[in-house]
Amino acid sequence: MKLLFLFLLVGVSWASYVKMKEVQPEQIHLSFGDATNEIVVTWSTFAQAKSKVLYGVHQTNKVAVGGSTVFVDSGKEKRKQWIHKVTLKDLAHDTKYVYKAGSDSGYSEQFSFKTPPAGEDYPLRIAIYGDMGVNNSMALPFLKRDVSLGLYDFILHVGDFAYDMYEENGRVGDHFMNMIQPLAANLPYMTCPGNHESAYNFSHYSHRFSMPGARSSLFYSFDAGAAHFVSISTEVYYFTQYGLKLISDQYQWLRDDLKRASSPENRRKRPWIIVFGHRPMYCSNSDDIDCSVEYTRVGLYGFYALEPLLKEYGVDIALWAHEHSYERTWPLYDGQMYNGTTHPYTDPGAPVHIVTGSAGCREGRDKFKHKPAPWSAFRSQDYGYTKFHTFNKTHIYVEQVSADLNGSVIDSFWLIKNKLRFTL
Ligand SMILES: [Fe+2]
């Protein structure tokens, strides 16, 4: 009898331990909502639970409530998780908040984030990279150090996560989201989809990330500081399951978005327009055909070419990844360099392209063609990431950090709007 009682006790304790673990929040990450003083907190549990965030300036004395959706991985096991989203609205600008995510069944540890100042006249510091996996994520220790020192306002992860989130019935995705939690729980982690997210119609990407707008995080834009950031899915050009309608929808949305952002009034407020997407329009790698099949640049069947939009609406910088290397171009359009003077990055008249896909993944590095095109200004196979500073309305400073060289800067340049200086 005593033995039976003991078995029952152990059984009940184990069941309640499992239940407690299943409702414990994990994979906590932040993103901007409809404005930079609106933060969306996203996390996962493996059983149903309420979606609450306790937050405040010095202590967690406020409560925000959101909701969850059940996400079922399409693999054999049909693993299920609840993805919770809570939006913290009307936050004070330029203010540090502390928060805990979860429910009364269990909250996370306490994290903090800082909202950007109001208006446009403040510098922004951003870490940018693509192609980071759970294995060989060489840039991660440096990024963790930088984030713990408060060096960035947000991160742009330019596609290709985990390698791949759907693998092992979604466990690789869970592992990756927990791996980046020290970054993403402390600052907005803004994203775009890459080819490694294509499984099950991009469902892991669309469910796990909460980007602004209502397009499953596939394409969207946001304003921060003196810049307008535009995230696009280059993958709509490469995966036919999207269909032509999505290519057309994104094209029209991008044209309208860039047109609005480049109106004289908006341009005065936010002179910089930055576009980011996964597959580059220009690269000089030799590993596959991707540097010669540039559908986003030239369009499909002569339609929906994106490069003319970048030129027409004065996009300043186009950020890409996909190639596991770093490459900076001279300002260029249609393969031709612009403003080849002694100061090519001052009022260039065409976008500068940066490929930064060297954060590290199981596929290793991508080699370069022996002879780069004349538009290629600098390239490196070192693992690393990009530090991107918009100092003000006229000056952007970009640095490439090498993980191979223990965090040394291997490339840098200033992009300057000299003419604007006399009109501000
Ligand atoms: Fe890729």
Side-chain angles (χ1 to χ4, degrees):
M1 190 65 184
K2 263 186 186 170
L3 202 62
L4 180 66
F5 179 72
L6 195 65
F7 273 130
L8 274 172
L9 194 67
V10 170
V12 169
S13 311
W14 177 250
S16 46
Y17 168 74
V18 169
K19 177 77 188 155
M20 201 178 76
K21 207 166 171 342
E22 284 178 338
V23 294
Q24 186 59 32
E26 60 170 67
Q27 308 174 42
I28 299 157
H29 54 283
L30 306 179
S31 51
F32 286 127
D34 290 335
T36 52
N37 68 335
E38 192 172 297
I39 293 287
V40 183
V41 188
T42 306
W43 71 93
S44 290
T45 58
F46 291 89
Q48 192 166 18
K50 292 249 164 62
S51 315
K52 285 189 190 177
V53 172
L54 310 179
Y55 71 107
V57 173
H58 297 295
Q59 48 183 316
T60 55
N61 53 359
K62 290 182 176 179
V63 187
V65 178
S68 66
T69 48
V70 181
F71 171 53
V72 184
D73 169 70
S74 301
K76 257 188 190 165
E77 289 182 24
K78 300 283 177 270
R79 271 179 85 240
K80 208 191 249 190
Q81 61 184 277
W82 279 256
I83 297 186
H84 304 259
K85 296 182 186 192
V86 173
T87 304
L88 309 180
K89 293 184 175 185
D90 299 320
L91 298 168
H93 281 284
D94 204 10
T95 301
K96 185 178 173 184
Y97 282 87
V98 292
Y99 76 97
K100 294 174 182 180
S103 69
D104 296 338
S105 310
Y107 282 95
S108 68
E109 62 182 286
Q110 186 165 297
F111 298 101
S112 65
F113 62 85
K114 188 177 163 294
T115 53
E120 299 83 32
D121 292 317
Y122 60 90
L124 276 180
R125 305 151 311 156
I126 313 158
I128 306 171
Y129 51 86
D131 305 72
M132 188 160 77
V134 292
N135 294 318
N136 195 33
S137 46
M138 297 298 283
L140 188 62
F142 299 92
L143 291 161
K144 278 185 184 171
R145 179 203 59 191
D146 288 0
V147 168
S148 72
L149 293 170
L151 295 192
Y152 305 119
D153 298 297
F154 59 93
I155 283 175
L156 298 183
H157 186 142
V158 190
D160 279 6
F161 306 81
Y163 289 75
D164 290 351
M165 291 195 283
Y166 81 94
E167 289 183 14
E168 296 177 28
N169 295 284
R171 287 184 183 85
V172 174
D174 299 342
H175 184 166
F176 178 81
M177 298 307 290
N178 281 323
M179 185 184 93
I180 61 163
Q181 185 176 282
L183 313 175
N186 295 299
L187 83 186
Y189 200 88
M190 307 305 284
T191 60
C192 69
N195 53 302
H196 280 269
E197 284 67 73
S198 68
Y200 314 137
N201 201 19
F202 292 79
S203 61
H204 274 267
Y205 173 81
S206 291
H207 281 87
R208 290 174 186 274
F209 292 106
S210 313
M211 296 301 118
R215 296 179 193 84
S216 306
S217 303
L218 295 178
F219 50 94
Y220 62 91
S221 64
F222 63 99
D223 295 326
H228 179 67
F229 292 86
V230 186
S231 172
I232 59 169
S233 170
T234 55
E235 301 316 295
V236 299
Y237 287 77
Y238 292 85
F239 288 95
T240 49
Q241 69 260 39
Y242 268 142
L244 210 56
K245 184 168 183 319
L246 199 48
I247 296 177
S248 157
D249 286 353
Q250 176 175 261
Y251 180 86
Q252 284 168 32
W253 170 84
L254 179 63
R255 193 183 53 199
D256 294 346
D257 187 86
L258 291 177
K259 195 173 180 182
R260 202 168 33 249
S262 61
S263 73
E265 190 195 343
N266 282 333
R267 204 95 206 201
R268 245 191 320 277
K269 270 207 276 189
R270 289 183 198 88
W272 300 108
I273 301 181
I274 316 295
V275 169
F276 64 103
H278 183 62
R279 291 196 216 211
M281 285 189 185
Y282 294 95
C283 54
S284 64
N285 300 78
S286 60
D287 54 305
D288 54 30
I289 59 162
D290 280 335
C291 292
S292 50
V293 185
E294 295 146 338
Y295 291 141
T296 53
R297 186 164 81 76
V298 297
L300 281 175
Y301 317 112
F303 295 102
Y304 310 120
L306 297 184
E307 194 184 25
L309 295 184
L310 306 191
K311 174 76 169 60
E312 183 178 352
Y313 296 112
V315 169
D316 298 286
I317 297 186
L319 300 161
W320 316 107
H322 188 57
E323 300 301 332
H324 303 161
S325 52
Y326 167 78
E327 186 161 19
R328 164 172 61 86
T329 72
W330 299 111
L332 83 162
Y333 175 64
D334 197 20
Q336 302 299 313
M337 285 189 286
Y338 264 63
N339 204 2
T341 64
T342 45
H343 302 290
Y345 291 110
T346 301
D347 298 323
V352 176
H353 294 253
I354 296 171
V355 181
T356 176
S358 56
C361 68
R362 69 184 177 196
E363 293 179 355
R365 309 166 198 261
D366 285 341
K367 287 188 175 140
F368 288 115
K369 287 172 191 161
H370 183 60
K371 213 175 160 200
W375 43 253
S376 181
F378 182 91
R379 52 187 199 167
S380 166
Q381 278 185 280
D382 283 11
Y383 289 117
Y385 58 101
T386 306
K387 283 183 171 179
F388 190 100
H389 290 192
T390 63
F391 271 82
N392 50 38
K393 291 182 177 181
T394 57
H395 287 67
I396 280 180
Y397 183 59
V398 180
E399 289 180 328
Q400 182 64 17
V401 175
S402 165
D404 296 39
L405 298 175
N406 202 26
S408 304
V409 173
I410 53 168
D411 183 42
S412 63
F413 76 101
W414 286 93
L415 186 63
I416 297 168
K417 287 183 185 289
N418 205 30
K419 288 179 193 155
L420 191 70
R421 287 170 63 190
F422 304 103
T423 60
L424 286 173

